[in-house]
Amino acid sequence: MSDKKASLSIDGKTLDLKVHSGTIGPDVIEVSALTGNGYFTYDPGFVSTAACESKITYIDGDKGILLHGGYPIEQLAEHSDYLETCYLLLYGALPNAAEKEKFVNKVRMHTMVNDQMSTFFKGFRRDAHPMAIMCGVVGALSAFYHDSLDITDEKHREISAIRLIAKMPTLAAMTYKYTIGQPFMYPQNHLSYSENFLHMMFGNPCEPSNVNPVLAKAMDKIFLLHADHEQNASTSTVRLAGSTGANPFACISAGIAALWGPSHGGANEAVLDMLNEIGDASRIDEYVAKAKDKDDPFRLMGFGHRVYKNFDPRAKVMKQAADEVLAELGLEDDPLLKIAKRLEQIALEDEYFIDRKLYPNVDFYSGIILKAIGIPTSMFTVIFALGRTPGWIAHWNEMISGSYRIGRPRQLYTGPATRDFVPLDKR
Ligand code: CMC
């Protein structure tokens, strides 16, 4: 706690409130004393609310800083890899060589899903959205792994974390294969995490898999850049679900549902839909005007962020990765990608976007890379979910291993005051 105190005067009464200081970042005023005095705080959208204490990730939105365990995202993206970053999120420190090997092997040994799972897929329509299938099959893991559902047991929590990280690529690829009517591909455990994912996505049983290492590297970077982002909507959903004592598979399924929306992870799919709708560079001005029109609900997808008001540091790394992938694949002249680049340039120079500090976010560039890699648009948000899984599970585990209470927000009630029931014939 800090030496500072905050006081709130209301109706001639002064309430002293505790102030907490973090390692870095703004001090936090504890408002729990308000309840006993007949007040709640009101903060729609949680714009000024710290919902928990956490040691995992730090964001400074004004300076464009993102740290995992204190390490800047740019350094992790350059020198680390996805599974090492997963370890960092889960255990709070970078692994040494032996710890890393053990962790990678553990993940490798859990990539296969229970064979019964394949029949579960058959209950879905082939044209179901992959995120609809993912919400179902990830939640269904809790029906398959009864041996790791005691959330008070540290070892159970750990094995559930490993299972989720290991099985998400398998389930994601099965989802894709199911929607296109191809047989599921078994994981190949000699491949790296990202190679294995591309093998299960694009391989087929008739031919040996041939994964392009440049694309696997780009895929790994996409996963890493999505791995965690402190208390965003889906992570807060996972924490809230977890605070009831629900099992981790159910909680992550809740996170996937929250991620699906176009204001959150669904934006990467929406970016490509928008670029397709624009269709030609000559129509960009029309769409920029629509985005600026207060009476039009249209927004430029892939622009703006609740926290980043300078730039999104993930977007910077992602843009560089996008350039590398486009060059590798010789796609610099792809018409849709040309529209994206022109749109980015126009928006960055437009007063409306400059005044509101609306910059391209991570989803703007990730959509471009994913399209270049050949991932179908409807799978984009699934890729985000896969990448975010270690963040969700790390936050869930941090909460469960500390002291926590069920998350139960209150409200500002504006409905009718007490009134007497009116019998049907008198209404
Ligand atoms: N296009 C046009 N105008 C925008 C946009 C946009 N993409 N985003 C925000 N604005 C305007 C908004 O109309 C408002 O203008 P005014 O002050 O004149 O009323 C101002 O900017 C502030 O917007 P807000 O809605 O109060 O901001 P927010 O923090 O509640 O919303 C956001 C953040 C990310 C939901 C929003 O910027 C948005 O809808 N962006 C498009 C969707 C998107 O790309 N989402 C991915 C976010 S990054 C990955 C992730 O976190 O999942």
Side-chain angles (χ1 to χ4, degrees):
M1 204 179 314
S2 117
D3 294 336
K4 286 189 208 164
K5 280 229 172 324
S7 52
L8 177 72
S9 297
I10 188 157
D11 276 347
K13 195 173 161 188
T14 300
L15 298 173
D16 286 330
L17 303 172
K18 292 177 192 165
V19 177
H20 299 272
S21 293
T23 330
I24 36 178
D27 286 346
V28 167
I29 301 169
E30 184 177 328
V31 292
S32 52
L34 294 185
T35 316
N37 285 283
Y39 295 100
F40 297 142
T41 53
Y42 182 56
D43 183 22
F46 306 115
V47 178
S48 309
T49 296
C52 63
E53 185 187 322
S54 181
K55 294 182 169 51
I56 301 170
T57 288
Y58 173 76
I59 300 175
D60 183 329
D62 294 326
K63 295 194 183 127
I65 292 173
L66 168 61
L67 311 176
H68 294 320
Y71 299 104
I73 191 68
E74 295 86 348
Q75 291 185 25
L76 291 170
E78 190 176 349
H79 304 296
S80 185
D81 57 51
Y82 179 63
L83 284 185
E84 188 173 72
T85 303
C86 290
Y87 185 101
L88 172 65
L89 295 172
L90 290 175
Y91 301 106
L94 286 171
N96 62 29
E99 287 164 339
K100 183 171 176 181
E101 193 187 341
K102 194 168 161 206
F103 180 73
V104 170
N105 277 335
K106 255 197 218 166
V107 171
R108 207 170 257 158
M109 289 308 132
H110 283 91
T111 49
M112 214 157 65
V113 292
N114 187 302
D115 201 45
Q116 192 75 17
M117 198 46 115
S118 49
T119 33
F120 199 85
F121 273 85
K122 294 200 176 99
F124 289 97
R125 289 168 54 134
R126 293 269 179 194
D127 62 355
H129 192 284
M131 283 295 276
I133 302 181
M134 287 299 282
C135 288
V137 294
V138 173
L141 289 176
S142 48
F144 288 87
Y145 300 104
H146 295 143
D147 59 341
S148 63
L149 293 185
D150 179 359
I151 63 163
T152 63
D153 184 322
E154 194 184 336
K155 288 282 156 224
H156 279 215
R157 293 201 302 275
E158 187 176 19
I159 193 68
S160 291
I162 299 285
R163 278 179 170 151
L164 275 158
I165 292 168
K167 293 180 199 307
M168 281 295 275
T170 315
L171 291 174
M174 286 171 86
T175 297
Y176 174 56
K177 289 296 194 192
Y178 182 74
T179 59
I180 58 168
Q182 283 189 9
F184 299 138
M185 294 294 286
Y186 282 118
Q188 290 290 326
N189 291 344
H190 66 281
L191 297 173
S192 74
Y193 190 86
S194 301
E195 285 168 347
N196 205 6
F197 174 63
L198 291 176
H199 149 75
M200 291 187 286
M201 280 288 290
F202 299 118
N204 71 65
C206 312
E207 285 166 36
S209 271
N210 187 13
V211 178
N212 179 332
V214 176
L215 302 192
K217 201 171 149 223
M219 205 68 241
D220 196 82
K221 201 164 276 185
I222 290 177
F223 293 150
L224 186 154
L225 291 172
H226 283 99
D228 188 41
H229 214 226
E230 56 118 297
Q231 312 309 324
N232 55 84
S234 56
T235 303
S236 297
T237 301
V238 169
R239 279 190 180 255
L240 196 57
S243 77
T244 69
N247 75 68
F249 303 109
C251 295
I252 301 305
S253 169
I256 294 174
L259 186 78
W260 193 356
S263 294
H264 194 6
N268 55 12
E269 179 176 345
V271 167
L272 257 284
D273 290 344
M274 175 187 77
L275 294 176
N276 274 316
E277 197 182 309
I278 296 175
D280 189 87
S282 63
R283 298 185 65 203
I284 292 179
D285 288 345
E286 181 193 327
Y287 278 81
V288 171
K290 264 164 81 67
K292 288 157 59 173
D293 181 356
K294 283 264 150 276
D295 299 324
D296 190 326
F298 175 78
R299 286 186 165 198
L300 277 195
M301 299 316 285
F303 284 80
H305 196 276
R306 166 60 63 79
V307 181
Y308 293 122
K309 300 298 176 198
N310 182 336
F311 64 91
D312 179 340
R314 302 166 302 170
K316 266 194 164 175
V317 181
M318 199 71 94
K319 181 176 163 54
Q320 197 187 334
D323 289 340
E324 281 166 21
V325 168
L326 297 184
E328 161 74 15
L329 297 174
L331 285 175
E332 297 100 324
D333 292 330
D334 183 282
L336 220 54
L337 301 175
K338 275 191 161 167
I339 296 177
K341 291 210 156 181
R342 183 81 192 110
L343 180 64
E344 174 200 4
Q345 193 186 356
I346 289 177
L348 286 175
E349 288 165 1
D350 190 294
E351 230 170 74
Y352 173 94
F353 290 88
I354 295 170
D355 286 352
R356 287 166 183 76
K357 300 182 174 8
L358 301 170
Y359 297 89
N361 57 47
V362 69
D363 286 329
F364 186 71
Y365 300 109
S366 66
I368 293 172
I369 308 189
L370 290 172
K371 177 184 179 320
I373 291 179
I375 306 277
T377 315
S378 62
M379 283 294 290
F380 285 9
T381 315
V382 172
I383 305 283
F384 193 153
L386 199 171
R388 183 55 56 84
T389 296
W392 287 332
I393 199 88
H395 281 274
W396 171 81
N397 190 44
E398 179 178 63
M399 181 183 70
I400 302 291
S401 43
S403 69
Y404 67 98
R405 300 175 76 183
I406 184 170
R408 177 55 170 93
R410 299 304 303 269
Q411 62 175 1
L412 170 66
Y413 176 69
T414 52
T418 312
R419 50 182 169 170
D420 285 326
F421 181 81
V422 181
L424 191 58
D425 60 347
K426 300 259 163 39
R427 275 177 242 158

